[in-house]
Amino acid sequence: MKTIIEPFKIKSVEPIYFNTKEERRSILEKAFYNPFLIHANDVLIDLLTDSGTSAMSSNQWAGIMKGDESYAGSPSFFRFEETVQKITGLPLVIPTHQGRAAERILFSTLGGKGKYFVSNTLFDTTRANIEVSGAEGIDLLCEEGKYPTVPAPFKGNMDIDALKNFIADKGAANIPLCIITVTNNSGGGQPVSMQNIKEVKMICVENNIPLFIDACRFAENSYFIKLREEGYANKSVPEIAKELFSYADGCTMSAKKDAFANIGGFLAMRDEQLAQECRNLLIITEGFPTYGGLAGRDLEAIAIGLNEVMEENYLQYRIRSIEYLTNKLIAAGIPVMQPAGGHAVYIDAKEFLSHVPVEQYPGQALVGALYIEGGIRSVEIGSLMFGKYDVNKKLIPAQMELVRLAIPRRVYTQSHIDYVAEVMIEVFNNRHEIKGLQIIEEAPMLRHFTVKLRPIL
Ligand code: F0G
């Protein structure tokens, strides 16, 4: 087979500013070993997130010019609404400024003390919005999802027995919603199978619990279903996506991922009464229901991006480019999440830095080492992001200590990725020199964004 090439030409470019290892050492120290506190111009290859960082297409930029900025009833809204309805089959569409705004509205409507939201794995903002409402978020990930380096086709699946047991234990009346995250971002960008979604749906129906999809990466998940699940090889991605949403009572979406937009999101659902309650909240904090915190031009860019993201040439290139980096790292003996996920490569930092105890945040230590060695910005998804403290202020670690290299959509070329692999291999060869970190300042929630750390010497 020939090389799978980037399915685009480049019309406009942005410079990368180069700096030295010595400069980066001091930049990292000044940023308190937190990649979120580094200025973007000090980064060579930015793999912090795939969110809002996509390169928009010439068609999307043309859409930006067409955007109508009427406060109410903009034609851009109706194009956006129709696109979402067509892709998802969900009739009631509410725009929001990004994914977490959709979450805040949904969970402040449905949440509250004594309630439980069950999921394969909740993303950090989803969990935070649930917890802010007073409710609890429960992750019920399938067993194979818990072992980063052991491959399986659908490691994002929900554990069906655990779901049944949890409902039996807590009572369906206390569970306002079940949420399936596709792909499972915090669990390694791993897909969820259609079979699993169907089984979860059946249990939800039996117990009268609505099922929502966190649809940020619905196209990547649909393409994995096409590649890996029996009976889907000859279906188109839009057909698969439509079936996936057909089992859902609603979805939350961050258009900053699988819609190639730099900002935006939405809520979509079937229940008119719930939609009305959500719209009432929307008006207070986001805006009128035909723009929801977005400009008309953003709605155009999202509508166009939602269709572009389902093109198979794009998805083939997208999934292959993640696999390409994953395979290079595997060949070098580096412990990575297997198989490759949809939007990112995940390094098993617990194994990579086996000499650094989890209380010293090996993932964050590896993030720092990658930045110093090659100016690569990545993010820890482990005990810094998800760790909690027990009553004695002892760390309750996360299930896994991962470092995510999220690949922005349509932004970097193969040589950028080759460079990332070279840097990672260099860091791996010198891993024994990497020291653990300790926290010197932290916020009570979502601490990883603002935390300050120092090395343990
Ligand atoms: N759900 C998932 C699965 C996500 O990955 C994200 C964002 C959100 C919800 C929230 O969306 O950022 O538009 O408010 N993930 C980004 C990331 C931030 O880096 O993975 P948002």
Side-chain angles (χ1 to χ4, degrees):
M1 196 157 100
K2 296 203 175 59
T3 303
I4 295 168
I5 59 172
E6 284 87 358
F8 50 79
K9 310 184 276 185
I10 298 167
K11 182 179 309 205
S12 177
V13 296
E14 288 178 278
I16 289 174
Y17 301 100
F18 290 86
N19 47 19
T20 65
K21 219 161 138 172
E22 271 327 296
E23 285 167 339
R24 291 194 292 268
R25 231 185 269 284
S26 128
I27 291 166
L28 187 65
E29 195 186 333
K30 286 193 191 114
F32 296 98
Y33 298 84
N34 178 349
F36 290 97
L37 304 181
I38 298 175
H39 293 199
N41 281 357
D42 293 331
V43 175
L44 272 66
I45 306 278
D46 203 345
L47 308 183
L48 184 70
T49 178
D50 62 321
S51 180
T53 52
S54 300
M56 291 213 296
S57 66
S58 49
N59 267 333
Q60 284 179 293
W61 283 108
I64 293 268
M65 284 309 294
K66 269 177 43 188
D68 178 285
E69 304 303 342
S70 305
Y71 189 96
S74 159
S76 299
F77 169 74
F78 295 112
R79 273 192 285 275
F80 160 84
E81 182 187 44
E82 195 190 335
T83 305
V84 176
Q85 287 169 335
K86 203 163 153 214
I87 292 170
T88 65
L90 297 165
L92 308 168
V93 182
I94 301 171
T96 59
H97 82 271
Q98 62 183 81
R100 68 198 69 180
E103 292 164 0
R104 194 194 56 79
I105 289 169
L106 185 66
F107 298 120
S108 37
T109 307
L110 296 177
K113 225 176 158 45
K115 303 218 170 120
Y116 301 92
F117 290 88
V118 289
S119 177
N120 49 346
T121 310
L122 297 161
F123 183 64
D124 57 358
T125 59
T126 325
R127 171 174 292 282
N129 274 298
I130 288 169
E131 290 175 359
V132 159
S133 84
E136 250 182 82
I138 308 292
D139 293 342
L140 303 171
L141 184 63
C142 68
E143 201 49 33
E144 56 271 32
K146 295 175 188 165
Y147 306 95
T149 51
V150 183
F154 290 104
K155 292 171 77 169
N157 281 355
M158 203 160 173
D159 183 331
I160 299 292
D161 287 332
L163 175 62
K164 286 182 189 159
N165 292 340
F166 189 85
I167 297 171
D169 186 28
K170 303 289 180 190
N174 298 316
I175 306 173
L177 212 62
C178 173
I179 304 126
I180 298 185
T181 313
V182 301
T183 57
N184 183 18
N185 185 8
S186 314
Q190 298 293 322
V192 181
S193 72
M194 197 72 88
Q195 182 61 31
N196 190 252
I197 295 172
K198 270 197 250 183
E199 284 174 29
V200 170
K201 173 68 177 175
M202 266 161 54
I203 296 167
C204 284
V205 169
E206 278 165 25
N207 291 283
N208 209 13
I209 299 170
L211 173 64
F212 266 54
I213 306 282
D214 177 339
C216 295
R217 299 176 181 85
F218 76 97
E220 289 164 5
N221 200 96
S222 298
Y223 192 65
F224 276 123
I225 290 175
K226 182 179 170 89
L227 294 182
R228 296 185 186 167
E229 194 161 349
E230 218 187 304
Y232 290 92
N234 296 323
K235 295 216 162 123
S236 71
V237 171
E239 280 170 339
I240 296 169
K242 191 83 180 260
E243 181 183 341
L244 189 153
F245 286 111
S246 75
Y247 304 116
D249 298 284
C251 75
T252 55
M253 172 78 186
S254 166
K256 300 173 76 173
K257 285 86 174 173
D258 270 357
F260 298 123
N262 302 125
I263 195 72
F266 57 84
L267 258 171
M269 60 192 74
R270 301 183 198 279
D271 184 328
E272 186 61 66
Q273 195 193 328
L274 177 62
Q276 204 46 52
E277 285 175 50
C278 289
R279 283 196 196 105
N280 292 344
L281 268 183
L282 184 87
I283 292 174
I284 300 172
T285 57
E286 291 282 300
F288 189 70
T290 62
Y291 73 88
L294 292 169
R297 52 179 172 268
D298 299 323
L299 295 168
E300 294 281 354
I302 295 167
I304 295 163
L306 283 171
N307 282 316
E308 281 180 2
V309 79
M310 293 191 293
E311 284 168 13
E312 285 187 27
N313 279 341
Y314 162 73
L315 284 167
Q316 183 193 34
Y317 141 80
R318 172 74 176 158
I319 300 304
R320 174 62 199 144
S321 62
I322 312 292
E323 197 180 57
Y324 175 81
L325 178 55
T326 303
N327 290 349
K328 280 199 160 206
L329 301 183
I330 293 172
I334 295 171
V336 296
M337 169 72 91
Q338 291 183 49
H343 66 293
V345 176
Y346 293 72
I347 314 294
D348 183 353
K350 215 188 276 185
E351 212 177 305
F352 193 112
L353 295 183
S354 53
H355 62 287
V356 178
V358 291
E359 293 76 19
Q360 296 181 13
Y361 305 105
Q364 193 76 356
L366 178 54
V367 166
L370 282 170
Y371 177 70
I372 291 172
E373 183 59 41
I376 297 167
R377 178 153 70 167
S378 54
V379 73
E380 190 254 23
I381 299 196
S383 293
L384 191 73
M385 188 180 271
F386 288 119
K388 297 240 151 103
Y389 293 113
D390 68 12
V391 283
N392 300 316
K393 253 226 135 208
K394 193 175 154 22
L395 178 78
I396 308 167
Q399 199 140 39
M400 296 185 265
E401 303 295 334
L402 302 175
V403 167
R404 186 184 74 171
L405 307 171
I407 313 293
R409 294 170 182 78
R410 306 191 290 208
V411 170
Y412 292 116
T413 63
Q414 192 165 332
S415 58
H416 290 119
I417 298 299
D418 286 337
Y419 170 82
V420 171
E422 286 162 17
V423 171
M424 181 67 80
I425 292 166
E426 187 75 28
V427 170
F428 188 59
N429 291 340
N430 299 316
R431 63 191 180 280
H432 299 294
E433 293 165 18
I434 300 172
K435 308 239 173 354
L437 296 164
Q438 75 186 96
I439 293 176
I440 51 180
E441 208 181 295
E442 63 184 301
M445 267 189 148
L446 296 176
R447 64 175 178 176
H448 54 287
F449 289 121
T450 53
V451 69
K452 294 181 178 173
L453 303 113
R454 70 167 160 239
I456 299 172
L457 299 172

